[in-house]
Amino acid sequence: MSAVRGLDHGGLLVADAERARAFYVDALGLTEVPRPANFDFPGLWVEVGDQQLHIIGEAEAGRTRDVHPGWRADELARGYASHLALEVDDFDGYLARLRAHGVEIAGGPRDRGDGVKQAYVADPDGHVIEIMGA
């Protein structure tokens, strides 16, 4: 019987790959890694621990908005949305880094109830990112 070995990567469709690079690489501090040379569409790959996040630039203007219309502010504030979660070493220091890069903390910080703190941000296309740590 065949079994799943692990999660290799996730992918997010974005309207503007360069704007996404500024968010994921500059603000979040993720490391960009090379994509295959034969990829003929905009995008970037970043490392997230042992996995990767593939940022896929839209080929048709407005497609990202069609696929991902965004979240209501009250849902985002509670983390009640499809999201990715980034575990960080220094929760408060990481939130300070985000604020220094102009990233709004849309939800939290709050205690999850098991010793972990959570906060929520959204990328320029409305993809929700949970920041979590002790």
Side-chain angles (χ1 to χ4, degrees):
M1 172 186 256
S2 183
V4 175
R5 293 184 346 190
L7 178 65
D8 179 74
H9 71 274
L12 297 175
L13 184 65
V14 301
D16 182 333
E18 290 306 313
R19 183 177 68 177
R21 179 177 280 111
F23 180 80
Y24 286 96
V25 175
D26 298 340
L28 293 184
L30 301 177
T31 301
E32 187 171 356
V33 296
R35 294 190 318 154
N38 65 332
F39 280 28
D40 62 355
F41 54 90
L44 63 141
W45 290 4
V46 293
E47 289 180 328
V48 184
D50 293 335
Q51 286 76 37
Q52 293 181 350
L53 181 59
H54 295 179
I55 307 299
I56 306 160
E58 66 182 13
E60 176 186 332
R63 186 69 180 127
T64 301
R65 188 177 50 255
D66 293 343
V67 171
H68 182 73
W71 305 102
R72 296 186 341 214
D74 63 320
E75 292 173 333
L76 178 56
R78 296 187 343 245
Y80 186 72
S82 298
H83 65 276
L84 305 173
L86 301 179
E87 183 178 7
V88 299
D89 291 334
D90 176 2
F91 183 80
D92 294 326
Y94 195 79
L95 294 188
R97 173 201 172 95
L98 294 177
R99 289 182 181 110
H101 279 87
V103 176
E104 177 187 352
I105 308 302
R110 67 178 187 186
D111 289 324
R112 189 168 73 180
D114 61 355
V116 173
K117 293 188 273 187
Q118 300 171 296
Y120 297 92
V121 301
D123 79 359
D125 290 291
H127 299 290
V128 179
I129 310 293
E130 175 183 338
I131 308 304
M132 58 180 285

